[in-house]
Amino acid sequence: MRKAPTILHLDMDAFYASAEQASKPSLRGKAVVVGGLGPRGVVATASYEARVFGVHSAMPMGQARRLAPNAAYLVPRFGFYKAISEQVMGLLRELSPLVEPLSLDEAFVDLEAGGAAWDDASARLVGARLRGDIRAVTGLTGSVGLAASKMLAKIASEQAKPDGLVVIEPGTERALLGPLSVRTLPGVGPATGDHLRRAGIHTVDEIVEAGEDELVRLLGKAHGHGLYAMALARDERAVVAEREAKSVSVEDTYDVDIHDRVRVGLEVQRLADRCVRRLRGAGLSGRTIVLKVRRYDFSTLTRSETLRGPTDDPAVVREAALRLLEGVDSTGGVRLLGVGVTGLADFTQEDLFAQAAEAAGAAGEGVDHAVEQAADDVPAEERDVLVERRWVAGHDVRHAQYGHGWVQGSGLGRVTVRFETPDSEPGRVRTFLVDDPALESADPLPLVEVTGAPPHRL
């Protein structure tokens, strides 16, 4: 194990919700919930004010509304979040070439590899300055954990939340881990946690007391050995700068189960096209096409077909997905569909062009790609609203007379807009007809206006 706490873990605080609060002055200090707003929507992120009521990520949106009926409920703006994430990741890459992003709002950094830190004091200084730089560049806060390993750095950042810095000093690791729940350790999810609890093991100390042989008996050789090592604070995992993608996939959950077989087929084709757009956007191709179908009774079926070589041709992927659908019984209704591509490569095989030509004739009429491209980042339950007339809760608009604002809600032929910007006072609310020619969709405004010299860097 490293002797200095030079592994840094950054976790942006309630990222989506915090970004929305920073963007919308009227929501600052108030409960904000971001996620799919349909009957089957789930919470993506809840602000700390909403968490007081028991709302948390992955919770069904209906339950969140019951717990916090007066919260603001917004549809995610993934393009906006991604732009902020790129700013944050840029700050991290100034510290070290070894940055391992885990998601838009979370990453590990090996500070020693970049020469940014080499002992406790220098690591603390880097962490403090990073938090200041993130606030200066994005207006948001992040929690920083520093330790000698990835596992401990992540635990430290959790303890630092919100908007804090925690350093786990060498020699204190075992004492820190001992009283914590077994769920704290990587790889211990609900199922493993319940299995350990039934065996009378609730804390990390109790894992150590049970011994490695008992862990192997309970969980199997690989998992048992790995979990015992982590309970002893042994984690040799390195920070990996490039996390190789294993698959590219898209899926949608539908408000109402789909019973019409033709509609199911059209949805599969649409998903295949979206999947290929993401595949091409990443500069990849793949050999294996995967279809996922969740039926009315929550049973999930997965079917796959491996092609002769890698492809990024939408007609080939559509046709393969439709062939897989033929072998799936959708009687009773379908609540979720997904299409994915695995066996990724950075090239395509020329002899698949003939297969693509055959598939193009068999796949039938496609969907409106322009509409799909616009709706790609909108949850399925919001997409019908977008196609009909574009006003999605939380998204940006501009009015010819009143300027920039955001949609508070729409329905019955009207749309309600609050007019404010990140650096304004809380704005006024006005209501318009949904087809008002003076109202149009707009791009998000930056949270922080760039003026003067950039913040100090190490």
Side-chain angles (χ1 to χ4, degrees):
M1 179 177 292
R2 296 164 185 259
K3 294 184 178 180
T6 55
I7 299 296
L8 180 149
H9 182 262
L10 170 70
D11 197 346
M12 299 294 289
D13 300 320
F15 181 46
Y16 297 172
S18 294
E20 296 296 347
Q21 289 175 316
S23 177
K24 301 171 172 65
S26 59
L27 298 184
R28 292 170 190 169
K30 298 182 179 179
V32 175
V33 181
V34 180
L37 304 189
R40 291 177 178 168
V42 297
V43 175
T45 307
S47 70
Y48 286 98
E49 296 85 354
R51 295 180 191 186
V52 171
F53 298 98
V55 180
H56 57 78
S57 60
M59 172 182 284
M61 191 60 76
Q63 182 180 356
R65 288 185 184 275
R66 290 190 293 272
L67 292 172
N70 296 320
Y73 289 86
L74 307 175
V75 175
R77 297 185 292 166
F78 290 113
F80 177 53
Y81 309 145
K82 183 177 180 182
I84 299 171
S85 174
E86 288 172 351
Q87 291 179 301
V88 173
M89 295 302 165
L91 293 175
L92 299 182
R93 291 187 178 97
E94 291 181 13
L95 299 175
S96 173
L98 292 184
V99 176
E100 182 177 343
L102 304 179
S103 61
L104 290 178
D105 61 342
E106 184 180 4
F108 287 110
V109 185
D110 187 329
L111 298 177
E112 189 175 31
W118 48 91
D119 59 12
D120 180 89
S122 59
R124 285 180 183 274
L125 182 61
V126 169
R129 287 184 174 174
L130 173 64
R131 291 177 57 235
D133 283 356
I134 289 172
R135 187 185 290 275
V137 170
T138 70
L140 303 180
T141 64
S143 295
V144 172
L146 288 153
S149 69
K150 292 168 72 171
M151 176 187 73
L152 292 167
K154 183 172 177 62
I155 291 172
S157 70
E158 286 295 321
Q159 294 184 341
K161 282 184 168 294
D163 190 22
L165 169 67
V166 167
V167 180
I168 298 179
E169 298 180 0
T172 68
E173 297 92 348
R174 288 284 304 279
L176 173 78
L177 284 176
L180 298 180
S181 165
V182 295
R183 290 290 303 277
T184 305
L185 300 179
V188 181
T192 301
D194 287 344
H195 197 43
L196 292 171
R197 179 180 52 80
R198 288 193 296 270
I201 299 173
H202 302 85
T203 68
V204 176
D205 265 345
E206 288 171 343
I207 288 178
V208 177
E209 291 170 6
E212 190 168 13
D213 290 344
E214 177 66 5
L215 264 292
V216 169
R217 187 187 70 80
L218 289 171
L219 304 176
K221 188 173 181 179
H223 200 181
H225 287 312
L227 192 58
Y228 186 74
M230 288 191 173
L232 295 175
R234 298 172 185 163
D235 178 17
E236 302 299 328
R237 295 175 300 162
V239 175
V240 180
E242 297 295 334
R243 295 168 59 88
E244 183 178 354
K246 296 181 179 180
S247 65
V248 174
S249 63
V250 297
E251 63 181 43
D252 278 343
T253 301
Y254 303 96
D255 289 348
V256 179
D257 292 345
I258 302 175
H259 293 82
D260 185 348
R261 186 76 176 183
V262 174
R263 166 84 187 283
V264 173
L266 290 173
E267 288 293 311
V268 167
Q269 292 182 63
R270 181 179 60 78
L271 289 166
D273 288 343
R274 283 175 56 198
C275 183
V276 169
R277 284 202 299 273
R278 293 189 180 184
L279 197 69
R280 288 181 168 180
L284 298 169
S285 59
R287 295 187 64 220
T288 301
I289 314 303
V290 181
L291 175 70
K292 178 180 177 181
V293 180
R294 181 166 297 151
R295 300 188 293 188
Y296 71 97
D297 59 358
F298 287 89
S299 62
T300 302
L301 303 176
T302 303
R303 300 288 184 268
S304 64
E305 175 182 325
T306 299
L307 307 174
R308 296 194 302 273
T311 185
D312 65 353
D313 190 292
V316 173
V317 177
R318 280 198 303 269
E319 176 62 11
L322 288 172
R323 283 196 300 271
L324 294 169
L325 180 63
E326 291 174 1
V328 173
D329 179 10
S330 61
T331 304
V334 170
R335 61 183 290 114
L336 176 147
L337 290 168
V339 174
V341 177
T342 66
L344 301 183
D346 57 1
F347 62 92
T348 59
Q349 187 164 302
E350 293 293 331
D351 66 4
L352 287 178
F353 289 160
Q355 183 178 343
E358 294 173 5
E365 294 185 1
V367 295
D368 185 340
H369 298 301
V371 172
E372 272 303 308
Q373 183 68 52
D376 208 18
D377 281 338
V378 178
E381 58 267 22
E382 302 299 328
R383 195 166 291 122
D384 290 342
V385 175
L386 181 67
V387 171
E388 287 179 11
R389 183 57 166 123
R390 66 187 174 265
W391 309 128
V392 181
H395 285 217
D396 299 83
V397 294
R398 176 170 292 281
H399 190 275
Q401 179 179 353
Y402 302 109
H404 191 93
W406 57 277
V407 176
Q408 281 201 326
S410 63
L412 302 177
R414 297 183 180 275
V415 55
T416 301
V417 177
R418 184 179 290 273
F419 290 97
E420 59 187 5
T421 63
D423 58 354
S424 75
E425 296 296 319
R428 293 188 59 182
V429 174
R430 299 181 184 275
T431 300
F432 308 91
L433 296 175
V434 294
D435 57 355
D436 188 326
L439 192 66
E440 61 182 5
S441 298
D443 292 330
L445 297 176
L447 297 181
V448 175
E449 292 293 340
V450 179
T451 57
H456 176 73
R457 305 280 186 268
L458 285 179

